[in-house]
Amino acid sequence: DSGVTQTPKHLITATGQRVTLRCSPRSGDLSVYWYQQSLDQGLQFLIQYYNGEERAKGNILERFSAQQFPDLHSELNLSSLELGDSALYFCASSVGGVEEKLFFGSGTQLSVL
Amino acid sequence: GENVEQHPSTLSVQEGDSAVIKCTYSDSASNYFPWYKQELGKGPQLIIDIRSNVGEKKDQRIAVTLNKTAKHFSLHITETQPEDSAVYFCAAGPGNQFYFGTGTSLTVIP
């Protein structure tokens, strides 16, 4: 158990809908990262937050947004969903903003029908 | 941005044999190279990492080598066991923003 909690584990929705994925980092970790894992794209870095502030942005679509709250949990919001957004979404956390050792949650499997 | 290539995509070895997975990267600014193991239904788990000022690092049956000049790094697993069966990902990047390879599915045959 990595100590990173992601909910829900599975999510099934329809095209055009909006969903929210939630992540609670390990106790004491200030950074949260979001990754998307699909069969054809592998693990793609989406975005990183450090202590409530956006720190780095990767291949995140404009339809996606994230935030980190004062209690350090994070939410990834996916809107106007398309079939191609179906993937496994991972959250990871680390101690500090430039601490490289990431601890991953078990992921949220999103299926867009 | 960084481009990480990983080979092979699948690898089958007999129990007790060694397994080697190779990765190349493109960005010379990358200075951190972790390896993650992902078991079915779980998130990736860090198994070993190496920084650019080190050429080799070993942890029991697992070792990683780095050739900065050639921009490639490798994972070596010796005396493989069935529990080593998983998908392995290499990654490279400058500090906290790193990019993953496409993964190697390792199967250890008892």
Side-chain angles (χ1 to χ4, degrees):
Chain A
D1 183 9
S2 67
V4 177
T5 304
Q6 287 188 250
T7 57
K9 290 190 184 301
H10 303 277
L11 199 49
I12 302 174
T13 189
T15 55
Q17 295 299 304
R18 172 190 170 95
V19 297
T20 297
L21 313 184
R22 182 187 170 102
C23 170
S24 294
R26 290 189 322 156
S27 177
D29 284 358
L30 298 179
S31 269
V32 170
Y33 307 73
W34 286 98
Y35 281 84
Q36 179 192 57
Q37 185 176 41
S38 57
L39 287 176
D40 58 342
Q41 295 284 333
L43 267 168
Q44 298 282 317
F45 168 69
L46 296 179
I47 198 165
Q48 180 209 355
Y49 279 81
Y50 173 73
N51 204 21
E53 299 290 327
E54 182 183 307
R55 176 62 65 95
K57 186 177 279 192
N59 302 321
I60 189 166
L61 300 172
E62 287 191 8
R63 299 183 287 106
F64 297 0
S65 65
Q67 60 185 128
Q68 186 179 27
F69 295 87
D71 66 354
L72 301 177
H73 90 272
S74 177
E75 293 180 356
L76 178 66
N77 300 297
L78 316 176
S79 61
S80 302
L81 285 168
E82 302 176 358
L83 296 178
D85 297 328
S86 296
L88 195 51
Y89 291 85
F90 284 107
C91 168
S93 72
S94 69
V95 173
V98 291
E99 176 61 45
E100 298 96 339
K101 295 184 188 296
L102 301 190
F103 296 86
F104 282 80
S106 297
T108 292
Q109 179 67 59
L110 174 66
S111 298
V112 182
L113 306 179
Chain B
E2 177 63 273
N3 181 43
V4 179
E5 295 189 357
Q6 183 173 346
H7 300 281
S9 57
T10 60
L11 180 60
S12 292
V13 299
Q14 290 291 136
E15 182 177 357
D17 287 349
S18 296
V20 180
I21 303 171
K22 298 182 178 182
C23 289
T24 60
Y25 63 99
S26 61
D27 190 350
S28 51
S30 290
N31 57 8
Y32 178 65
F33 308 90
W35 285 87
Y36 284 81
K37 174 184 180 181
Q38 186 175 18
E39 297 175 332
L40 199 60
K42 297 184 179 180
Q45 179 184 12
L46 179 70
I47 56 172
I48 195 167
D49 57 9
I50 192 168
R51 299 178 194 278
S52 59
N53 58 347
V54 176
E56 184 174 354
K57 183 177 179 180
K58 189 173 181 179
D59 182 5
Q60 299 183 340
R61 297 186 296 108
I62 295 174
V64 58
T65 59
L66 170 65
N67 183 327
K68 284 183 58 181
T69 303
K71 293 195 180 71
H72 67 71
F73 56 114
S74 301
L75 177 72
H76 303 252
I77 306 174
T78 59
E79 301 172 15
T80 53
Q81 301 168 4
E83 52 265 38
D84 294 330
S85 295
V87 179
Y88 292 81
F89 293 94
C90 62
N96 59 306
Q97 187 177 352
F98 41 85
Y99 296 84
F100 285 81
T102 49
T104 296
S105 179
L106 173 64
T107 301
V108 179
I109 304 166

